[in-house]
Amino acid sequence: MAATPAQERVAVVDPRFVGHLHLLRLALTDPRFPAAAAPGALTVQPEARAALLSATAKIPVGAGTAHLTDVLTDTLTESLERADIGLHRVEPGTLVATVALTPAQREDAREAVAAVDDEAVRLRTAVKSRDGFFTTFCISPYSRYLARWCARRGLTPNQVTTASLLTALIAAGCAATGTRGGFIAAGVLLLFSFVLDCTDGQLARYSLQYSTMGAWLDATFDRAKEYAYYAGLALGAARCGDDVWLLALGAMVLQTCRHVVDFAFNEANHDATANTSPTAALSDKLDSVGWTVWVRRMIVLPIGERWAMIAVLTSLTSPRIVFYALLVGCALAACYTTAGRVLRSVTRHARRTDRAAQALADLADSGPLAGLIAKGPASRGAAGAPLLAVAGVVFLMTQLLLNGAGSWWPVLGAVIYTLFAGAAVARPLKGALDWLVPPLFRAAEYGTVLLLAARADAPGALPAAFGLVAAVAYHHYDTVYRIRGGTGAPPRWLVWATGGHEGRVLVVTVLAAALSPSGFTLALTALAVVLALLVLTESIRFWVSSGAPAVHDEGEPA
């Protein structure tokens, strides 16, 4: 092992190992874990090599120690597990992995290996363990074979992910033509893009080609594809004389806020202890009844069902109907999921960790103004973070609805909102409902841009607002995926350079009050370009050079 280059992994395999080749792949080549083990096989990544050396040095030699080296891999595995370095034990399942100590055991093991189709198991496990109804029954039955076809031709998951993005962008371009033929082509291409989107993850699992870059591309491209398609539909509708930019922007705002609810709740409860929620118990009971599992997964309108609906309605109806269906479906799904999570939160007795509180603070995206207020004496006794956030949002929305662009009252609303936002994050977000704070902030910021653009009475205001919200939403999604990757939030300088949510709200309201409608449109466009360049540049720099662990999404996003 000492002769192996420091940057390489090390594997230990018992020469008496008998088992399936795919199980060895799982134990020895999966890059997601610092160490992994199966019966008779063990591997460590560079960061865990010191622990393996230490475990090897601790094995005693001499009389009475033969049992420790008879199956050396098992002894080393137990030692690494005690060292708490993140060892992953591969569960064989229907596959076979054993150390044959006698000829009879070897013969029995070989018969067991021959009885199980290694390739069939590999194909089956390439599919996510938890997916939506449409994906499970309409896509995965054949996309897994497409994944195998790609693997045998040396294609990588990242290449398939990029192909999916390009296909979706072409679909958006077809939708932008505004013709019936273009809409039909857009629907077909959007479905094919989703097939490729499923294939890239299945290819990663089939060939164990997990990577940090791949996880980031897979996550962010899904949002880029969907929101680009919204823009294509809006452009196509405009060619037909129907302005649906407000609906397109509303759909993007609603979908993004739904995701923030999901992300914030999951992070708040990522490592919470003592979950005694009766709501969770009821959910588990419902999941024990087969048909309710699929109904509940479809109610939340996950990506498979959503894209299928968009594709079919695009081909058969109009962009306006597509967006109406999206808004109604996503609104119902948001009410269902949010209500369930609120019930779980208020009926459970759990202790939130410092890590969870920090994740929620990062998701809040508070800038320098909120940070300054949070440190002030007036905020130190503040309690009830969700109530403070709601109060700020309500005051801001009231001013926006009553006054709109050209008035300075929304600026006052933004100032009051900033004060409440700072007070809301003055204490660690460890309360039962504190996970609601980030989505409330997102709704306030995106809603401010939407309402001011809608009332600006300028032809290009809503498309410019769409671009601005898309740029900011990318920043928020990027924050989520960095936290999921275990690398923490974006650097503080980036959050401050972008102003934080409260700073952007103030800037947009001031621009709307001070500028003419056409000037406001230009300002929104410029702000969108600057923010997009800033967050994209930093995001690409980070993910290309990141040392984040290799991960891949194992559950279908909403």
Side-chain angles (χ1 to χ4, degrees), residues 32 125 127-131 201 205 210 552-556:
R32 295 175 296 173
T125 55
V127 178
K128 286 178 182 177
S129 58
R130 184 181 186 277
D131 244 333
R205 285 181 284 274
Y210 301 100
H552 203 88
D553 178 43
E554 292 297 328
E556 182 169 271

Side-chain angles (χ1 to χ4, degrees), residues 89-455:
R89 283 187 178 269
V90 177
E91 294 295 335
T94 57
L95 296 176
V96 176
T98 186
V99 176
L101 301 179
T102 66
Q105 289 178 351
R106 177 173 292 275
E107 187 60 29
D108 291 343
R110 285 176 173 173
E111 290 179 3
V113 169
V116 177
D117 187 342
D118 178 275
E119 181 61 19
V121 173
R122 190 180 181 189
L123 272 173
R124 186 178 68 249
T125 55
V127 178
K128 286 178 182 177
S129 58
R130 184 181 186 277
D131 244 333
F133 181 89
F134 179 77
T135 305
T136 299
F137 295 103
C138 300
I139 304 296
S140 292
Y142 58 87
S143 62
R144 70 185 74 182
Y145 295 100
L146 179 58
R148 181 172 65 181
W149 183 89
C150 293
R152 291 177 175 177
R153 281 152 185 79
L155 297 176
T156 67
N158 290 355
Q159 290 171 332
V160 178
T161 302
T162 303
S164 175
L165 173 66
L166 293 176
T167 303
L169 293 178
I170 295 172
C174 291
T177 63
T179 63
R180 178 51 52 194
F183 288 147
I184 293 174
V188 172
L189 287 171
L190 186 66
L191 282 178
F192 183 60
S193 174
F194 183 65
V195 172
L196 292 176
D197 182 55
C198 295
T199 301
D200 64 359
Q202 291 165 359
L203 174 58
R205 285 181 284 274
Y206 180 85
S207 57
L208 298 177
Q209 296 183 75
Y210 301 100
S211 69
T212 301
M213 175 66 75
W216 172 65
L217 291 177
D218 185 55
T220 55
F221 279 11
D222 279 352
R223 306 286 79 80
K225 288 181 287 189
E226 185 167 1
Y227 297 158
Y229 192 82
Y230 291 179
L233 283 175
L235 290 171
R239 286 180 175 271
C240 300
D242 188 14
D243 186 355
V244 297
W245 276 106
L246 179 61
L247 297 178
L249 179 54
M252 180 168 66
V253 168
L254 179 56
Q255 187 59 30
T256 304
C257 289
R258 278 188 64 201
H259 283 146
V260 177
V261 168
D262 295 340
F263 298 145
F265 178 81
N266 290 336
E267 287 303 322
N269 296 282
H270 177 75
D271 48 8
T273 58
N275 181 7
T276 57
S277 168
T279 308
L282 175 61
S283 178
D284 293 339
K285 185 176 181 180
L286 289 174
D287 281 345
S288 66
V289 183
W291 65 270
T292 64
V293 174
W294 297 114
V295 170
R296 294 173 70 213
R297 291 186 189 179
M298 294 172 68
I299 287 175
V300 300
L301 202 63
I303 187 170
E305 278 74 0
R306 191 167 68 250
W307 282 27
M309 180 186 74
I310 293 171
V312 171
L313 291 179
T314 299
S315 301
L316 300 179
T317 62
S318 67
R320 181 172 288 273
I321 292 178
V322 172
F323 286 123
Y324 281 155
L326 264 176
L327 288 167
V328 172
C330 289
L332 292 175
C335 291
Y336 171 78
T337 55
T338 305
R341 284 166 180 171
V342 168
L343 284 174
R344 287 191 182 202
S345 298
V346 298
T347 58
R348 72 185 297 167
H349 301 285
R351 293 185 298 275
R352 296 271 163 71
T353 63
D354 291 336
R355 178 205 170 279
Q358 184 57 53
L360 291 179
D362 292 335
L363 289 174
D365 192 32
S366 300
L369 294 176
L372 184 64
I373 294 167
K375 294 178 181 178
S379 299
R380 289 175 186 169
L387 292 177
L388 290 168
V390 166
V393 172
V394 168
F395 192 89
L396 174 62
M397 292 296 111
T398 300
Q399 297 304 319
L400 290 169
L401 290 171
L402 292 178
N403 299 284
S407 169
W408 287 94
W409 284 105
V411 178
L412 175 62
V415 171
I416 301 300
Y417 166 76
T418 299
L419 294 174
F420 278 107
V425 296
R427 289 184 172 185
L429 298 175
K430 293 185 176 183
L433 295 176
D434 284 2
W435 57 270
L436 286 169
V437 171
L440 285 168
F441 288 166
R442 297 296 81 77
E445 180 180 0
Y446 301 156
T448 296
V449 178
L450 184 151
L451 289 173
L452 289 175
R455 303 183 69 174

